[in-house]
């Protein structure tokens, strides 16, 4: 029993060196990116969020820092649970990424509080650098489609025949989701899933209005 109590309350982190902490966060970064890459490539909806893929990577780093910080200390683990409970009930967080930053901050605070300074230093620096890298890099930004395009045109065989060529000019990829006749067949409503070219959405929307005289053109981007 005394041995079990010592194991549960032990806060000796002398065994966690800077090199070991670096190895832990580096492994978390690599494996977190693999998970985020798998999430990006297997996502099939139309509301993909690049920020959530970033959250997967940052969660891996925050969790690794947390585990290295508490080590075998039951007190440290309970302390972090208390901090997260306060955050949960006192803060109105609108994005998972916000919660991950609070988790990273709490993990660093626990590491400092129990004098695991190598873990605190490596974990904080790594978390901050990875957050900046993910923000400015193109990681997880490549997706099959950018958004959903909806518009209506008058029933006209000549204009409808020009539509595929116009989309091919301004879109890297386009897939028709639905085509519906409204107003007793006088108007055709189109819904496309599109991937824009480098020029962006402005040339596409302008071409739709000037060349095809579309009505109520709306482009709903994923981000």
């Amino acid at each position: 029993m005394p041995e079990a109590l010592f194991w549960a309350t032990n806060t000796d982190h002398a065994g966690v060196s800077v090199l070991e902490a670096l190895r832990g966060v580096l492994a978390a970064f690599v494996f977190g990116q693999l998970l985020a890459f798998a999430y990006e490539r297997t996502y099939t909806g139309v509301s993909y969020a690049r920020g959530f893929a970033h959250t997967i990577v940052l969660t891996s780093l925050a969790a690794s820092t947390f585990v290295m910080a508490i080590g075998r200390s039951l007190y440290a683990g309970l302390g972090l649970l208390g901090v997260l409970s306060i955050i949960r009930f006192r803060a109105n967080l609108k994005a998972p990424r916000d919660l991950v930053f609070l988790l990273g901050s709490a993990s660093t605070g626990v590491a400092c509080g129990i004098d695991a300074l190598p873990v605190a230093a490596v974990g904080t620096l790594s978390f901050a650098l990875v957050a900046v890298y993910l923000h400015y890099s193109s990681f997880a930004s490549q997706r099959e489609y950018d958004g959903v395009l909806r518009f209506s045109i008058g029933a006209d065989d000549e204009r409808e025949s020009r539509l595929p060529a116009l989309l091919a000019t301004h879109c890297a990829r386009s897939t028709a989701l639905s085509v519906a006749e409204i107003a007793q067949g006088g108007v055709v409503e189109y819904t496309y899933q599109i991937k824009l070219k480098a020029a962006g959405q402005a040339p596409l929307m302008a071409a739709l209005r000037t060349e095809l005289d579309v009505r109520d053109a709306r482009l709903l981007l994923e981000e």
Side-chain angles (χ1 to χ4, degrees):
M1 182 65 180
E3 291 79 4
L5 182 62
F6 172 79
W7 183 91
T9 59
N10 176 40
T11 58
D12 180 14
H13 293 271
V16 182
S17 66
V18 172
L19 289 179
E20 288 172 333
L22 279 172
R23 184 178 61 185
V25 296
L26 180 60
F29 173 63
V30 172
F31 292 133
Q33 280 198 311
L34 288 175
L35 289 173
F37 178 79
Y39 167 78
E40 175 198 355
R41 292 302 176 185
T42 57
Y43 189 87
T44 57
V46 295
S47 57
Y48 172 83
R50 181 188 178 199
F52 188 77
H54 290 183
T55 299
I56 294 173
V57 180
L58 293 174
T59 300
S60 296
L61 264 74
S64 67
T65 302
F66 163 59
V67 171
M68 286 187 291
I70 67 170
R72 298 182 299 174
S73 173
L74 178 61
Y75 290 159
L78 292 176
L80 185 57
L81 287 177
V83 172
L84 294 179
S85 297
I86 294 173
I87 292 171
R88 176 184 177 187
F89 291 109
R90 298 290 182 182
N92 183 20
L93 302 175
K94 298 182 179 180
R97 196 169 186 268
D98 298 340
L99 179 59
V100 171
F101 267 87
L102 288 175
L103 174 61
S105 176
S107 299
T108 299
V110 168
C112 293
I114 61 177
D115 203 29
L117 297 184
V119 174
V122 172
T124 302
L125 184 60
S126 300
F127 190 96
L129 290 176
V130 170
V132 173
Y133 157 73
L134 292 174
H135 178 74
Y136 287 103
S137 73
S138 60
F139 176 76
S141 63
Q142 297 299 320
R143 50 192 183 274
E144 191 174 359
Y145 296 101
D146 288 322
V148 176
L149 174 67
R150 293 189 177 95
F151 59 90
S152 302
I153 61 177
D156 185 322
D157 291 340
E158 192 271 334
R159 280 193 296 175
E160 291 182 42
S161 65
R162 289 159 48 197
L163 178 58
L166 185 147
L167 291 176
T169 300
H170 298 280
C171 300
R173 186 183 303 108
S174 62
T175 302
L177 298 179
S178 67
V179 179
E181 292 185 353
I182 57 178
Q184 289 78 43
V187 177
V188 181
E189 185 180 65
Y190 292 89
T191 302
Y192 277 86
Q193 206 171 17
I194 64 170
K195 173 74 173 178
L196 292 167
K197 289 187 176 180
Q201 59 176 309
L204 169 64
M205 303 303 284
L208 286 171
R209 295 188 179 98
T210 58
E211 298 181 28
L212 299 184
D213 190 26
V214 303
R215 308 174 188 177
D216 302 324
R218 303 181 303 279
L219 177 57
L220 307 177
L221 295 176
E222 293 181 0
E223 289 190 311

